[in-house]
Short mmCIF file of all heavy atoms in Angstrom, two decimals:
data_model
loop_
_atom_site.label_atom_id
_atom_site.label_comp_id
_atom_site.label_asym_id
_atom_site.label_seq_id
_atom_site.Cartn_x
_atom_site.Cartn_y
_atom_site.Cartn_z
N GLY A 1631 99.60 122.03 57.42
CA GLY A 1631 100.75 122.83 57.04
C GLY A 1631 100.51 123.51 55.72
O GLY A 1631 99.44 123.47 55.14
N GLY A 1632 101.55 124.14 55.23
CA GLY A 1632 101.46 124.74 53.93
C GLY A 1632 101.52 123.68 52.86
O GLY A 1632 101.56 122.50 53.10
N GLY A 1633 101.52 124.09 51.63
CA GLY A 1633 101.63 123.15 50.54
C GLY A 1633 102.98 122.51 50.54
O GLY A 1633 103.89 122.90 51.25
N PRO A 1634 103.15 121.48 49.70
CA PRO A 1634 104.43 120.80 49.63
C PRO A 1634 105.55 121.78 49.34
O PRO A 1634 105.47 122.59 48.43
CB PRO A 1634 104.22 119.81 48.48
CG PRO A 1634 102.73 119.60 48.43
CD PRO A 1634 102.15 120.90 48.83
N GLY A 1635 106.58 121.69 50.15
CA GLY A 1635 107.72 122.57 49.96
C GLY A 1635 107.57 123.91 50.63
O GLY A 1635 108.46 124.73 50.57
N GLU A 1636 106.43 124.17 51.23
CA GLU A 1636 106.22 125.46 51.88
C GLU A 1636 105.95 125.29 53.36
O GLU A 1636 105.12 125.95 53.94
CB GLU A 1636 105.04 126.19 51.21
CG GLU A 1636 105.32 126.60 49.78
CD GLU A 1636 106.40 127.65 49.67
OE1 GLU A 1636 106.69 128.31 50.67
OE2 GLU A 1636 106.95 127.83 48.60
N GLY A 1637 106.64 124.38 53.96
CA GLY A 1637 106.48 124.19 55.38
C GLY A 1637 105.54 123.08 55.75
O GLY A 1637 105.30 122.85 56.91
N GLY A 1638 104.98 122.40 54.77
CA GLY A 1638 104.12 121.27 55.08
C GLY A 1638 104.91 120.18 55.76
O GLY A 1638 105.94 119.77 55.30
N MET A 1639 104.42 119.70 56.86
CA MET A 1639 105.20 118.78 57.68
C MET A 1639 105.22 117.37 57.12
O MET A 1639 106.00 116.56 57.54
CB MET A 1639 104.66 118.77 59.11
CG MET A 1639 104.82 120.10 59.81
SD MET A 1639 106.51 120.66 59.90
CE MET A 1639 106.33 122.09 60.93
N GLY A 1640 104.34 117.05 56.19
CA GLY A 1640 104.35 115.71 55.64
C GLY A 1640 105.30 115.57 54.48
O GLY A 1640 105.79 114.51 54.19
N GLY A 1641 105.51 116.66 53.77
CA GLY A 1641 106.53 116.68 52.74
C GLY A 1641 106.28 115.80 51.57
O GLY A 1641 106.81 114.73 51.43
N GLY A 1642 105.53 116.23 50.61
CA GLY A 1642 105.32 115.39 49.47
C GLY A 1642 106.40 115.47 48.45
O GLY A 1642 106.18 115.37 47.28
N GLY A 1643 107.58 115.59 48.75
CA GLY A 1643 108.65 115.67 47.78
C GLY A 1643 109.69 116.65 48.23
O GLY A 1643 110.77 116.71 47.69
N GLY A 1644 109.36 117.44 49.19
CA GLY A 1644 110.30 118.39 49.74
C GLY A 1644 110.50 118.16 51.21
O GLY A 1644 111.31 117.38 51.63
N ALA A 1645 109.71 118.83 52.01
CA ALA A 1645 109.96 118.82 53.45
C ALA A 1645 109.55 117.51 54.09
O ALA A 1645 108.52 116.95 53.79
CB ALA A 1645 109.18 119.98 54.10
N GLY A 1646 110.35 117.07 55.02
CA GLY A 1646 109.98 115.93 55.85
C GLY A 1646 109.33 116.43 57.11
O GLY A 1646 109.37 117.60 57.45
N GLY A 1647 108.68 115.54 57.82
CA GLY A 1647 108.04 115.91 59.08
C GLY A 1647 109.02 115.85 60.22
O GLY A 1647 110.17 115.46 60.09
N LEU A 1648 108.50 116.24 61.39
CA LEU A 1648 109.32 116.17 62.60
C LEU A 1648 109.73 114.73 62.89
O LEU A 1648 110.85 114.47 63.33
CB LEU A 1648 108.52 116.73 63.77
CG LEU A 1648 109.14 116.55 65.16
CD1 LEU A 1648 110.46 117.30 65.25
CD2 LEU A 1648 108.18 117.02 66.23
N LEU A 1649 108.83 113.78 62.64
CA LEU A 1649 109.09 112.40 62.99
C LEU A 1649 109.31 111.50 61.78
O LEU A 1649 109.66 110.35 61.93
CB LEU A 1649 107.93 111.85 63.83
CG LEU A 1649 107.63 112.63 65.10
CD1 LEU A 1649 106.44 112.02 65.82
CD2 LEU A 1649 108.84 112.68 66.01
N ASN A 1650 109.07 112.01 60.58
CA ASN A 1650 109.20 111.21 59.38
C ASN A 1650 110.12 111.88 58.38
O ASN A 1650 110.29 113.09 58.40
CB ASN A 1650 107.83 110.99 58.73
CG ASN A 1650 106.83 110.41 59.69
OD1 ASN A 1650 107.14 109.49 60.41
ND2 ASN A 1650 105.62 110.97 59.71
N GLY A 1651 110.70 111.09 57.50
CA GLY A 1651 111.56 111.64 56.48
C GLY A 1651 110.78 112.21 55.31
O GLY A 1651 109.55 112.19 55.27
N ALA A 1652 111.51 112.74 54.33
CA ALA A 1652 110.91 113.35 53.16
C ALA A 1652 111.01 112.43 51.96
O ALA A 1652 111.86 111.55 51.89
CB ALA A 1652 111.61 114.68 52.85
N ASN A 1653 110.13 112.66 50.98
CA ASN A 1653 110.18 111.95 49.72
C ASN A 1653 111.17 112.65 48.80
O ASN A 1653 110.96 113.80 48.43
CB ASN A 1653 108.78 111.92 49.09
CG ASN A 1653 108.79 111.34 47.69
OD1 ASN A 1653 109.67 110.55 47.34
ND2 ASN A 1653 107.81 111.73 46.90
N VAL A 1654 112.26 111.99 48.47
CA VAL A 1654 113.29 112.60 47.63
C VAL A 1654 113.16 112.03 46.22
O VAL A 1654 113.51 110.87 45.97
CB VAL A 1654 114.69 112.34 48.20
CG1 VAL A 1654 115.75 113.03 47.34
CG2 VAL A 1654 114.77 112.83 49.64
N GLY A 1655 112.66 112.82 45.32
CA GLY A 1655 112.51 112.39 43.94
C GLY A 1655 113.84 112.41 43.20
O GLY A 1655 114.83 112.98 43.65
N SER A 1656 113.84 111.80 42.02
CA SER A 1656 115.08 111.70 41.25
C SER A 1656 115.58 113.07 40.80
O SER A 1656 116.79 113.32 40.76
CB SER A 1656 114.86 110.80 40.03
OG SER A 1656 113.79 111.28 39.23
N ALA A 1657 114.65 113.98 40.47
CA ALA A 1657 115.07 115.32 40.04
C ALA A 1657 115.71 116.08 41.20
O ALA A 1657 116.73 116.77 41.02
CB ALA A 1657 113.87 116.09 39.50
N ALA A 1658 115.13 115.98 42.38
CA ALA A 1658 115.70 116.65 43.55
C ALA A 1658 117.07 116.06 43.89
O ALA A 1658 118.01 116.78 44.24
CB ALA A 1658 114.76 116.51 44.73
N LYS A 1659 117.17 114.77 43.78
CA LYS A 1659 118.46 114.11 44.05
C LYS A 1659 119.52 114.59 43.07
O LYS A 1659 120.66 114.89 43.46
CB LYS A 1659 118.28 112.60 43.95
CG LYS A 1659 119.56 111.81 44.15
CD LYS A 1659 119.30 110.32 44.02
CE LYS A 1659 120.60 109.51 44.13
NZ LYS A 1659 120.35 108.05 43.97
N ALA A 1660 119.16 114.70 41.80
CA ALA A 1660 120.11 115.16 40.79
C ALA A 1660 120.53 116.60 41.05
O ALA A 1660 121.70 116.97 40.88
CB ALA A 1660 119.50 115.01 39.39
N LEU A 1661 119.56 117.44 41.45
CA LEU A 1661 119.86 118.84 41.72
C LEU A 1661 120.88 118.98 42.84
O LEU A 1661 121.87 119.72 42.71
CB LEU A 1661 118.57 119.58 42.08
CG LEU A 1661 118.74 121.06 42.45
CD1 LEU A 1661 119.08 121.88 41.22
CD2 LEU A 1661 117.45 121.59 43.10
N LEU A 1662 120.67 118.28 43.94
CA LEU A 1662 121.57 118.39 45.08
C LEU A 1662 122.92 117.74 44.82
O LEU A 1662 123.94 118.17 45.38
CB LEU A 1662 120.93 117.78 46.32
CG LEU A 1662 120.20 118.78 47.24
CD1 LEU A 1662 119.03 119.43 46.51
CD2 LEU A 1662 119.68 118.06 48.49
N SER A 1663 122.95 116.71 44.01
CA SER A 1663 124.20 115.99 43.76
C SER A 1663 125.12 116.74 42.81
O SER A 1663 126.35 116.55 42.85
CB SER A 1663 123.90 114.60 43.19
OG SER A 1663 123.13 113.83 44.09
#
Side-chain angles (χ1 to χ4, degrees):
E1636 293 293 342
M1639 296 301 187
L1648 171 63
L1649 303 178
N1650 305 315
N1653 173 25
V1654 182
S1656 56
K1659 178 181 176 181
L1661 177 71
L1662 265 62
S1663 299

